[in-house]
Amino acid sequence: MKRNNLYVGFRIFRAKYIIVDCGGGTVDFACHELVEGGCRETHHAIGGPWGSTYLDEGFIKLLRDLFSVEAIENMQREYTSSWMDLMDEWERRKVLMDDYVRVRRVQFPHALTRA
């Protein structure tokens, strides 16, 4: 343990970091700083309505724009299993998003053409 280099074990004193909690409805941020004996909050946690459920709403709006509101509502009612498959496919693609892949493919179920 070398206090003159600010190291104690694996900690670096005065190091600052941000915790980001990406939930379903919100994304929350908290800022902390490592101090002797633990950590302290440097800024109170803040957040906003930027969670993944808002991406889902945008995806459904896109589907309604592409196929019509009636077609999507009919698919949700009459082809529930296919609707769930589509939303599961969307969820898998959504969680795998990164900066390196520019094209995302979501396979539409055949039931959508019948809806």
PDB file of all heavy atoms in Angstrom, residues 33-66:
ATOM      1  N   GLU A  33     -17.076   9.664  -6.025  1.00  0.00           N
ATOM      2  CA  GLU A  33     -15.636   9.874  -5.932  1.00  0.00           C
ATOM      3  C   GLU A  33     -15.112   8.966  -4.825  1.00  0.00           C
ATOM      4  O   GLU A  33     -15.723   8.862  -3.760  1.00  0.00           O
ATOM      5  CB  GLU A  33     -15.353  11.333  -5.592  1.00  0.00           C
ATOM      6  CG  GLU A  33     -13.893  11.642  -5.399  1.00  0.00           C
ATOM      7  CD  GLU A  33     -13.668  13.114  -5.069  1.00  0.00           C
ATOM      8  OE1 GLU A  33     -14.568  13.762  -4.517  1.00  0.00           O
ATOM      9  OE2 GLU A  33     -12.574  13.583  -5.379  1.00  0.00           O
ATOM     10  N   LEU A  34     -13.995   8.301  -5.089  1.00  0.00           N
ATOM     11  CA  LEU A  34     -13.381   7.468  -4.063  1.00  0.00           C
ATOM     12  C   LEU A  34     -12.643   8.359  -3.071  1.00  0.00           C
ATOM     13  O   LEU A  34     -11.852   9.218  -3.463  1.00  0.00           O
ATOM     14  CB  LEU A  34     -12.398   6.471  -4.681  1.00  0.00           C
ATOM     15  CG  LEU A  34     -13.020   5.359  -5.517  1.00  0.00           C
ATOM     16  CD1 LEU A  34     -11.918   4.482  -6.111  1.00  0.00           C
ATOM     17  CD2 LEU A  34     -13.984   4.520  -4.706  1.00  0.00           C
ATOM     18  N   VAL A  35     -12.937   8.149  -1.805  1.00  0.00           N
ATOM     19  CA  VAL A  35     -12.268   8.885  -0.733  1.00  0.00           C
ATOM     20  C   VAL A  35     -11.793   7.869   0.300  1.00  0.00           C
ATOM     21  O   VAL A  35     -12.209   6.709   0.279  1.00  0.00           O
ATOM     22  CB  VAL A  35     -13.212   9.916  -0.079  1.00  0.00           C
ATOM     23  CG1 VAL A  35     -13.591  11.000  -1.068  1.00  0.00           C
ATOM     24  CG2 VAL A  35     -14.450   9.249   0.487  1.00  0.00           C
ATOM     25  N   GLU A  36     -10.924   8.291   1.171  1.00  0.00           N
ATOM     26  CA  GLU A  36     -10.440   7.375   2.195  1.00  0.00           C
ATOM     27  C   GLU A  36     -11.621   6.882   3.023  1.00  0.00           C
ATOM     28  O   GLU A  36     -12.450   7.657   3.474  1.00  0.00           O
ATOM     29  CB  GLU A  36      -9.419   8.078   3.098  1.00  0.00           C
ATOM     30  CG  GLU A  36      -8.690   7.093   3.985  1.00  0.00           C
ATOM     31  CD  GLU A  36      -7.428   7.685   4.580  1.00  0.00           C
ATOM     32  OE1 GLU A  36      -7.028   8.785   4.192  1.00  0.00           O
ATOM     33  OE2 GLU A  36      -6.860   7.003   5.432  1.00  0.00           O
ATOM     34  N   GLY A  37     -11.724   5.588   3.143  1.00  0.00           N
ATOM     35  CA  GLY A  37     -12.818   4.999   3.898  1.00  0.00           C
ATOM     36  C   GLY A  37     -14.043   4.660   3.065  1.00  0.00           C
ATOM     37  O   GLY A  37     -15.042   4.187   3.581  1.00  0.00           O
ATOM     38  N   GLY A  38     -14.018   4.915   1.775  1.00  0.00           N
ATOM     39  CA  GLY A  38     -15.172   4.556   0.957  1.00  0.00           C
ATOM     40  C   GLY A  38     -15.343   5.470  -0.241  1.00  0.00           C
ATOM     41  O   GLY A  38     -14.379   5.876  -0.875  1.00  0.00           O
ATOM     42  N   CYS A  39     -16.594   5.833  -0.502  1.00  0.00           N
ATOM     43  CA  CYS A  39     -16.865   6.729  -1.617  1.00  0.00           C
ATOM     44  C   CYS A  39     -17.927   7.722  -1.192  1.00  0.00           C
ATOM     45  O   CYS A  39     -18.645   7.509  -0.216  1.00  0.00           O
ATOM     46  CB  CYS A  39     -17.310   5.945  -2.860  1.00  0.00           C
ATOM     47  SG  CYS A  39     -18.905   5.179  -2.710  1.00  0.00           S
ATOM     48  N   ARG A  40     -17.984   8.819  -1.921  1.00  0.00           N
ATOM     49  CA  ARG A  40     -19.016   9.817  -1.643  1.00  0.00           C
ATOM     50  C   ARG A  40     -19.681  10.200  -2.955  1.00  0.00           C
ATOM     51  O   ARG A  40     -19.063  10.156  -4.021  1.00  0.00           O
ATOM     52  CB  ARG A  40     -18.441  11.034  -0.935  1.00  0.00           C
ATOM     53  CG  ARG A  40     -17.599  11.925  -1.797  1.00  0.00           C
ATOM     54  CD  ARG A  40     -17.116  13.169  -1.015  1.00  0.00           C
ATOM     55  NE  ARG A  40     -16.376  14.050  -1.873  1.00  0.00           N
ATOM     56  CZ  ARG A  40     -16.898  15.011  -2.623  1.00  0.00           C
ATOM     57  NH1 ARG A  40     -18.201  15.232  -2.598  1.00  0.00           N
ATOM     58  NH2 ARG A  40     -16.151  15.761  -3.408  1.00  0.00           N
ATOM     59  N   GLU A  41     -20.931  10.574  -2.840  1.00  0.00           N
ATOM     60  CA  GLU A  41     -21.676  10.995  -4.021  1.00  0.00           C
ATOM     61  C   GLU A  41     -21.310  12.440  -4.336  1.00  0.00           C
ATOM     62  O   GLU A  41     -21.405  13.306  -3.472  1.00  0.00           O
ATOM     63  CB  GLU A  41     -23.175  10.859  -3.737  1.00  0.00           C
ATOM     64  CG  GLU A  41     -24.049  11.083  -4.924  1.00  0.00           C
ATOM     65  CD  GLU A  41     -25.501  10.817  -4.618  1.00  0.00           C
ATOM     66  OE1 GLU A  41     -26.091  11.592  -3.849  1.00  0.00           O
ATOM     67  OE2 GLU A  41     -26.023   9.828  -5.140  1.00  0.00           O
ATOM     68  N   THR A  42     -20.850  12.709  -5.551  1.00  0.00           N
ATOM     69  CA  THR A  42     -20.468  14.073  -5.924  1.00  0.00           C
ATOM     70  C   THR A  42     -21.626  14.832  -6.555  1.00  0.00           C
ATOM     71  O   THR A  42     -21.661  16.052  -6.525  1.00  0.00           O
ATOM     72  CB  THR A  42     -19.263  14.082  -6.886  1.00  0.00           C
ATOM     73  OG1 THR A  42     -19.597  13.341  -8.047  1.00  0.00           O
ATOM     74  CG2 THR A  42     -18.042  13.483  -6.225  1.00  0.00           C
ATOM     75  N   HIS A  43     -22.548  14.116  -7.176  1.00  0.00           N
ATOM     76  CA  HIS A  43     -23.763  14.712  -7.739  1.00  0.00           C
ATOM     77  C   HIS A  43     -24.904  13.759  -7.443  1.00  0.00           C
ATOM     78  O   HIS A  43     -24.757  12.546  -7.559  1.00  0.00           O
ATOM     79  CB  HIS A  43     -23.647  14.913  -9.251  1.00  0.00           C
ATOM     80  CG  HIS A  43     -22.589  15.894  -9.629  1.00  0.00           C
ATOM     81  ND1 HIS A  43     -22.742  17.244  -9.465  1.00  0.00           N
ATOM     82  CD2 HIS A  43     -21.356  15.726 -10.148  1.00  0.00           C
ATOM     83  CE1 HIS A  43     -21.650  17.859  -9.868  1.00  0.00           C
ATOM     84  NE2 HIS A  43     -20.784  16.958 -10.287  1.00  0.00           N
ATOM     85  N   HIS A  44     -26.035  14.322  -7.074  1.00  0.00           N
ATOM     86  CA  HIS A  44     -27.195  13.484  -6.789  1.00  0.00           C
ATOM     87  C   HIS A  44     -27.632  12.740  -8.042  1.00  0.00           C
ATOM     88  O   HIS A  44     -27.487  13.245  -9.154  1.00  0.00           O
ATOM     89  CB  HIS A  44     -28.361  14.328  -6.257  1.00  0.00           C
ATOM     90  CG  HIS A  44     -28.085  14.931  -4.923  1.00  0.00           C
ATOM     91  ND1 HIS A  44     -27.940  14.182  -3.784  1.00  0.00           N
ATOM     92  CD2 HIS A  44     -27.898  16.222  -4.557  1.00  0.00           C
ATOM     93  CE1 HIS A  44     -27.685  14.976  -2.769  1.00  0.00           C
ATOM     94  NE2 HIS A  44     -27.651  16.224  -3.204  1.00  0.00           N
ATOM     95  N   ALA A  45     -28.164  11.568  -7.841  1.00  0.00           N
ATOM     96  CA  ALA A  45     -28.630  10.756  -8.970  1.00  0.00           C
ATOM     97  C   ALA A  45     -29.713  11.515  -9.739  1.00  0.00           C
ATOM     98  O   ALA A  45     -30.578  12.146  -9.152  1.00  0.00           O
ATOM     99  CB  ALA A  45     -29.162   9.429  -8.468  1.00  0.00           C
ATOM    100  N   ILE A  46     -29.596  11.459 -11.056  1.00  0.00           N
ATOM    101  CA  ILE A  46     -30.604  12.067 -11.921  1.00  0.00           C
ATOM    102  C   ILE A  46     -30.992  11.043 -12.979  1.00  0.00           C
ATOM    103  O   ILE A  46     -30.285  10.063 -13.193  1.00  0.00           O
ATOM    104  CB  ILE A  46     -30.088  13.350 -12.606  1.00  0.00           C
ATOM    105  CG1 ILE A  46     -28.846  13.041 -13.455  1.00  0.00           C
ATOM    106  CG2 ILE A  46     -29.806  14.444 -11.607  1.00  0.00           C
ATOM    107  CD1 ILE A  46     -28.431  14.178 -14.367  1.00  0.00           C
ATOM    108  N   GLY A  47     -32.084  11.263 -13.606  1.00  0.00           N
ATOM    109  CA  GLY A  47     -32.504  10.336 -14.651  1.00  0.00           C
ATOM    110  C   GLY A  47     -33.595  10.937 -15.491  1.00  0.00           C
ATOM    111  O   GLY A  47     -34.046  12.047 -15.261  1.00  0.00           O
ATOM    112  N   GLY A  48     -33.995  10.165 -16.455  1.00  0.00           N
ATOM    113  CA  GLY A  48     -35.044  10.635 -17.337  1.00  0.00           C
ATOM    114  C   GLY A  48     -35.659   9.489 -18.107  1.00  0.00           C
ATOM    115  O   GLY A  48     -35.195   8.346 -18.030  1.00  0.00           O
ATOM    116  N   PRO A  49     -36.701   9.776 -18.830  1.00  0.00           N
ATOM    117  CA  PRO A  49     -37.442   8.748 -19.563  1.00  0.00           C
ATOM    118  C   PRO A  49     -36.751   8.340 -20.860  1.00  0.00           C
ATOM    119  O   PRO A  49     -37.246   8.615 -21.948  1.00  0.00           O
ATOM    120  CB  PRO A  49     -38.788   9.432 -19.837  1.00  0.00           C
ATOM    121  CG  PRO A  49     -38.432  10.877 -19.968  1.00  0.00           C
ATOM    122  CD  PRO A  49     -37.302  11.096 -18.984  1.00  0.00           C
ATOM    123  N   TRP A  50     -35.581   7.716 -20.724  1.00  0.00           N
ATOM    124  CA  TRP A  50     -34.819   7.313 -21.905  1.00  0.00           C
ATOM    125  C   TRP A  50     -34.577   5.813 -21.919  1.00  0.00           C
ATOM    126  O   TRP A  50     -33.673   5.335 -22.580  1.00  0.00           O
ATOM    127  CB  TRP A  50     -33.475   8.043 -21.945  1.00  0.00           C
ATOM    128  CG  TRP A  50     -33.604   9.510 -21.792  1.00  0.00           C
ATOM    129  CD1 TRP A  50     -34.291  10.366 -22.607  1.00  0.00           C
ATOM    130  CD2 TRP A  50     -33.064  10.308 -20.742  1.00  0.00           C
ATOM    131  NE1 TRP A  50     -34.201  11.647 -22.133  1.00  0.00           N
ATOM    132  CE2 TRP A  50     -33.449  11.637 -20.985  1.00  0.00           C
ATOM    133  CE3 TRP A  50     -32.291  10.043 -19.615  1.00  0.00           C
ATOM    134  CZ2 TRP A  50     -33.092  12.688 -20.151  1.00  0.00           C
ATOM    135  CZ3 TRP A  50     -31.927  11.078 -18.787  1.00  0.00           C
ATOM    136  CH2 TRP A  50     -32.326  12.379 -19.061  1.00  0.00           C
ATOM    137  N   GLY A  51     -35.360   5.065 -21.177  1.00  0.00           N
ATOM    138  CA  GLY A  51     -35.137   3.628 -21.067  1.00  0.00           C
ATOM    139  C   GLY A  51     -35.557   2.866 -22.309  1.00  0.00           C
ATOM    140  O   GLY A  51     -36.093   3.414 -23.277  1.00  0.00           O
ATOM    141  N   SER A  52     -35.326   1.583 -22.264  1.00  0.00           N
ATOM    142  CA  SER A  52     -35.544   0.749 -23.446  1.00  0.00           C
ATOM    143  C   SER A  52     -37.011   0.604 -23.820  1.00  0.00           C
ATOM    144  O   SER A  52     -37.315   0.297 -24.972  1.00  0.00           O
ATOM    145  CB  SER A  52     -34.909  -0.624 -23.232  1.00  0.00           C
ATOM    146  OG  SER A  52     -35.578  -1.315 -22.200  1.00  0.00           O
ATOM    147  N   THR A  53     -37.926   0.846 -22.888  1.00  0.00           N
ATOM    148  CA  THR A  53     -39.342   0.765 -23.266  1.00  0.00           C
ATOM    149  C   THR A  53     -39.700   1.865 -24.266  1.00  0.00           C
ATOM    150  O   THR A  53     -40.610   1.694 -25.075  1.00  0.00           O
ATOM    151  CB  THR A  53     -40.271   0.848 -22.038  1.00  0.00           C
ATOM    152  OG1 THR A  53     -39.977   2.043 -21.319  1.00  0.00           O
ATOM    153  CG2 THR A  53     -40.102  -0.355 -21.140  1.00  0.00           C
ATOM    154  N   TYR A  54     -38.968   2.978 -24.225  1.00  0.00           N
ATOM    155  CA  TYR A  54     -39.212   4.040 -25.197  1.00  0.00           C
ATOM    156  C   TYR A  54     -38.719   3.637 -26.580  1.00  0.00           C
ATOM    157  O   TYR A  54     -39.289   4.028 -27.592  1.00  0.00           O
ATOM    158  CB  TYR A  54     -38.577   5.352 -24.733  1.00  0.00           C
ATOM    159  CG  TYR A  54     -39.289   5.887 -23.518  1.00  0.00           C
ATOM    160  CD1 TYR A  54     -38.868   5.557 -22.240  1.00  0.00           C
ATOM    161  CD2 TYR A  54     -40.420   6.682 -23.653  1.00  0.00           C
ATOM    162  CE1 TYR A  54     -39.548   6.016 -21.114  1.00  0.00           C
ATOM    163  CE2 TYR A  54     -41.103   7.142 -22.544  1.00  0.00           C
ATOM    164  CZ  TYR A  54     -40.662   6.808 -21.276  1.00  0.00           C
ATOM    165  OH  TYR A  54     -41.343   7.251 -20.178  1.00  0.00           O
ATOM    166  N   LEU A  55     -37.661   2.829 -26.634  1.00  0.00           N
ATOM    167  CA  LEU A  55     -37.231   2.265 -27.917  1.00  0.00           C
ATOM    168  C   LEU A  55     -38.300   1.323 -28.457  1.00  0.00           C
ATOM    169  O   LEU A  55     -38.582   1.307 -29.655  1.00  0.00           O
ATOM    170  CB  LEU A  55     -35.908   1.516 -27.761  1.00  0.00           C
ATOM    171  CG  LEU A  55     -34.686   2.355 -27.433  1.00  0.00           C
ATOM    172  CD1 LEU A  55     -33.484   1.454 -27.180  1.00  0.00           C
ATOM    173  CD2 LEU A  55     -34.393   3.334 -28.540  1.00  0.00           C
ATOM    174  N   ASP A  56     -38.898   0.521 -27.559  1.00  0.00           N
ATOM    175  CA  ASP A  56     -39.969  -0.391 -27.975  1.00  0.00           C
ATOM    176  C   ASP A  56     -41.132   0.390 -28.569  1.00  0.00           C
ATOM    177  O   ASP A  56     -41.673   0.009 -29.609  1.00  0.00           O
ATOM    178  CB  ASP A  56     -40.467  -1.224 -26.786  1.00  0.00           C
ATOM    179  CG  ASP A  56     -39.388  -2.119 -26.210  1.00  0.00           C
ATOM    180  OD1 ASP A  56     -38.371  -2.363 -26.883  1.00  0.00           O
ATOM    181  OD2 ASP A  56     -39.570  -2.581 -25.063  1.00  0.00           O
ATOM    182  N   GLU A  57     -41.513   1.474 -27.909  1.00  0.00           N
ATOM    183  CA  GLU A  57     -42.617   2.296 -28.418  1.00  0.00           C
ATOM    184  C   GLU A  57     -42.288   2.860 -29.800  1.00  0.00           C
ATOM    185  O   GLU A  57     -43.148   2.897 -30.685  1.00  0.00           O
ATOM    186  CB  GLU A  57     -42.929   3.433 -27.446  1.00  0.00           C
ATOM    187  CG  GLU A  57     -43.574   2.966 -26.163  1.00  0.00           C
ATOM    188  CD  GLU A  57     -43.745   4.084 -25.148  1.00  0.00           C
ATOM    189  OE1 GLU A  57     -43.571   5.280 -25.521  1.00  0.00           O
ATOM    190  OE2 GLU A  57     -44.041   3.769 -23.986  1.00  0.00           O
ATOM    191  N   GLY A  58     -41.049   3.281 -29.983  1.00  0.00           N
ATOM    192  CA  GLY A  58     -40.627   3.792 -31.285  1.00  0.00           C
ATOM    193  C   GLY A  58     -40.653   2.717 -32.357  1.00  0.00           C
ATOM    194  O   GLY A  58     -41.043   2.975 -33.503  1.00  0.00           O
ATOM    195  N   PHE A  59     -40.252   1.498 -31.984  1.00  0.00           N
ATOM    196  CA  PHE A  59     -40.270   0.376 -32.925  1.00  0.00           C
ATOM    197  C   PHE A  59     -41.706   0.056 -33.346  1.00  0.00           C
ATOM    198  O   PHE A  59     -41.993  -0.132 -34.533  1.00  0.00           O
ATOM    199  CB  PHE A  59     -39.605  -0.850 -32.297  1.00  0.00           C
ATOM    200  CG  PHE A  59     -39.589  -2.053 -33.179  1.00  0.00           C
ATOM    201  CD1 PHE A  59     -38.873  -2.065 -34.370  1.00  0.00           C
ATOM    202  CD2 PHE A  59     -40.281  -3.202 -32.823  1.00  0.00           C
ATOM    203  CE1 PHE A  59     -38.855  -3.187 -35.188  1.00  0.00           C
ATOM    204  CE2 PHE A  59     -40.261  -4.333 -33.630  1.00  0.00           C
ATOM    205  CZ  PHE A  59     -39.554  -4.322 -34.815  1.00  0.00           C
ATOM    206  N   ILE A  60     -42.611   0.024 -32.390  1.00  0.00           N
ATOM    207  CA  ILE A  60     -44.020  -0.264 -32.700  1.00  0.00           C
ATOM    208  C   ILE A  60     -44.606   0.853 -33.564  1.00  0.00           C
ATOM    209  O   ILE A  60     -45.364   0.591 -34.508  1.00  0.00           O
ATOM    210  CB  ILE A  60     -44.834  -0.487 -31.402  1.00  0.00           C
ATOM    211  CG1 ILE A  60     -44.347  -1.766 -30.719  1.00  0.00           C
ATOM    212  CG2 ILE A  60     -46.331  -0.553 -31.696  1.00  0.00           C
ATOM    213  CD1 ILE A  60     -44.868  -1.971 -29.315  1.00  0.00           C
ATOM    214  N   LYS A  61     -44.243   2.095 -33.288  1.00  0.00           N
ATOM    215  CA  LYS A  61     -44.705   3.211 -34.131  1.00  0.00           C
ATOM    216  C   LYS A  61     -44.189   3.040 -35.561  1.00  0.00           C
ATOM    217  O   LYS A  61     -44.930   3.243 -36.526  1.00  0.00           O
ATOM    218  CB  LYS A  61     -44.250   4.547 -33.558  1.00  0.00           C
ATOM    219  CG  LYS A  61     -44.741   5.733 -34.367  1.00  0.00           C
ATOM    220  CD  LYS A  61     -44.197   7.033 -33.860  1.00  0.00           C
ATOM    221  CE  LYS A  61     -44.660   8.224 -34.638  1.00  0.00           C
ATOM    222  NZ  LYS A  61     -44.706   8.116 -36.068  1.00  0.00           N
ATOM    223  N   LEU A  62     -42.930   2.634 -35.697  1.00  0.00           N
ATOM    224  CA  LEU A  62     -42.374   2.385 -37.027  1.00  0.00           C
ATOM    225  C   LEU A  62     -43.155   1.286 -37.746  1.00  0.00           C
ATOM    226  O   LEU A  62     -43.492   1.419 -38.925  1.00  0.00           O
ATOM    227  CB  LEU A  62     -40.895   1.994 -36.918  1.00  0.00           C
ATOM    228  CG  LEU A  62     -40.221   1.566 -38.223  1.00  0.00           C
ATOM    229  CD1 LEU A  62     -40.122   2.747 -39.190  1.00  0.00           C
ATOM    230  CD2 LEU A  62     -38.854   0.982 -37.944  1.00  0.00           C
ATOM    231  N   LEU A  63     -43.474   0.201 -37.034  1.00  0.00           N
ATOM    232  CA  LEU A  63     -44.253  -0.887 -37.634  1.00  0.00           C
ATOM    233  C   LEU A  63     -45.616  -0.386 -38.087  1.00  0.00           C
ATOM    234  O   LEU A  63     -46.080  -0.742 -39.178  1.00  0.00           O
ATOM    235  CB  LEU A  63     -44.422  -2.041 -36.635  1.00  0.00           C
ATOM    236  CG  LEU A  63     -43.166  -2.814 -36.269  1.00  0.00           C
ATOM    237  CD1 LEU A  63     -43.482  -3.834 -35.183  1.00  0.00           C
ATOM    238  CD2 LEU A  63     -42.575  -3.500 -37.489  1.00  0.00           C
ATOM    239  N   ARG A  64     -46.255   0.437 -37.245  1.00  0.00           N
ATOM    240  CA  ARG A  64     -47.564   0.985 -37.617  1.00  0.00           C
ATOM    241  C   ARG A  64     -47.460   1.883 -38.843  1.00  0.00           C
ATOM    242  O   ARG A  64     -48.352   1.888 -39.689  1.00  0.00           O
ATOM    243  CB  ARG A  64     -48.164   1.744 -36.437  1.00  0.00           C
ATOM    244  CG  ARG A  64     -48.607   0.826 -35.335  1.00  0.00           C
ATOM    245  CD  ARG A  64     -49.130   1.580 -34.149  1.00  0.00           C
ATOM    246  NE  ARG A  64     -49.649   0.641 -33.170  1.00  0.00           N
ATOM    247  CZ  ARG A  64     -49.828   0.930 -31.898  1.00  0.00           C
ATOM    248  NH1 ARG A  64     -49.536   2.131 -31.449  1.00  0.00           N
ATOM    249  NH2 ARG A  64     -50.294   0.016 -31.075  1.00  0.00           N
ATOM    250  N   ASP A  65     -46.375   2.639 -38.934  1.00  0.00           N
ATOM    251  CA  ASP A  65     -46.175   3.497 -40.108  1.00  0.00           C
ATOM    252  C   ASP A  65     -45.927   2.665 -41.364  1.00  0.00           C
ATOM    253  O   ASP A  65     -46.375   3.014 -42.452  1.00  0.00           O
ATOM    254  CB  ASP A  65     -45.003   4.455 -39.886  1.00  0.00           C
ATOM    255  CG  ASP A  65     -45.301   5.530 -38.849  1.00  0.00           C
ATOM    256  OD1 ASP A  65     -46.484   5.708 -38.478  1.00  0.00           O
ATOM    257  OD2 ASP A  65     -44.334   6.186 -38.398  1.00  0.00           O
ATOM    258  N   LEU A  66     -45.188   1.563 -41.217  1.00  0.00           N
ATOM    259  CA  LEU A  66     -44.861   0.719 -42.372  1.00  0.00           C
ATOM    260  C   LEU A  66     -46.034  -0.138 -42.831  1.00  0.00           C
ATOM    261  O   LEU A  66     -46.262  -0.302 -44.026  1.00  0.00           O
ATOM    262  CB  LEU A  66     -43.683  -0.206 -42.034  1.00  0.00           C
ATOM    263  CG  LEU A  66     -42.312   0.439 -41.868  1.00  0.00           C
ATOM    264  CD1 LEU A  66     -41.308  -0.592 -41.370  1.00  0.00           C
ATOM    265  CD2 LEU A  66     -41.852   1.040 -43.185  1.00  0.00           C
TER     266      LEU A  66
END
